[in-house]
Amino acid sequence: MSESVGGNDAGARAADARPGERVVGIVLVSHSAAVAASVAELALGLAAGGAPAPIAAAGGTEGGGLGTSSELISVAAARVDRGAGVAVLTDLGSAVLTVKALLAEGDELPEATRLVDAPFVEGAIAALVTASTGADLDAVATAATEAYDYRKV
């Protein structure tokens, strides 16, 4: 189950799905709360079986509009942090810039938070599936990045 931070609630929460276990958390940053929550829901549905790694959607602005929010991203990252790192995937350019600014500040995100260059949908699924196996942050980032190579035809 996913946690939604932002303009809508994606439903049930996965942050406690693996209490006490060191596992990589996933944060999905989109300009739209609905898009971030839907991608999280899709990833959870496709990563079925066992307890999923924690995933949170940080979409839109605090007021529910389109955009990105440093505060919502920070809150989402803190919610999924289980001590093994946090992989952050973004949809568009200014979401990347917002996450980079948070990383540069150094104290706004959990230690070992990494911005992952990956396709948003396919990368989110690959990241969650990999994290749910207990893989480390490097493996989760690699799996998400390799989603660029998925062929559709």
Side-chain angles (χ1 to χ4, degrees), residues 71-83:
E71 178 66 23
L72 295 179
I73 296 166
S74 295
V75 168
R79 285 183 179 168
V80 301
D81 181 24
R82 297 293 177 277

Side-chain angles (χ1 to χ4, degrees), residues 9 31 35 50-51 54 61 69 74 80 87-88 92 102 111 115 128 145 147 151:
D9 185 359
H31 285 72
V35 168
T61 64
S69 162
S74 295
V80 301
V88 180
L92 301 170
L102 286 168
E111 192 171 326
L115 174 60
L128 183 63
T145 300
R151 303 293 307 172

Side-chain angles (χ1 to χ4, degrees), residues 24-28 39 43 55 86-90 114-132 135-150:
V24 174
I26 312 295
V27 174
L28 303 178
V39 172
I55 186 168
V86 175
V88 180
L89 285 79
T90 62
R114 185 179 306 175
L115 174 60
V116 179
D117 182 13
F120 195 61
V121 175
E122 295 91 337
I125 295 163
L128 183 63
V129 168
T130 305
S132 296
D136 66 14
L137 183 56
D138 287 337
V140 170
T142 296
T145 300
E146 287 176 352
Y148 276 126
D149 297 331
Y150 295 174

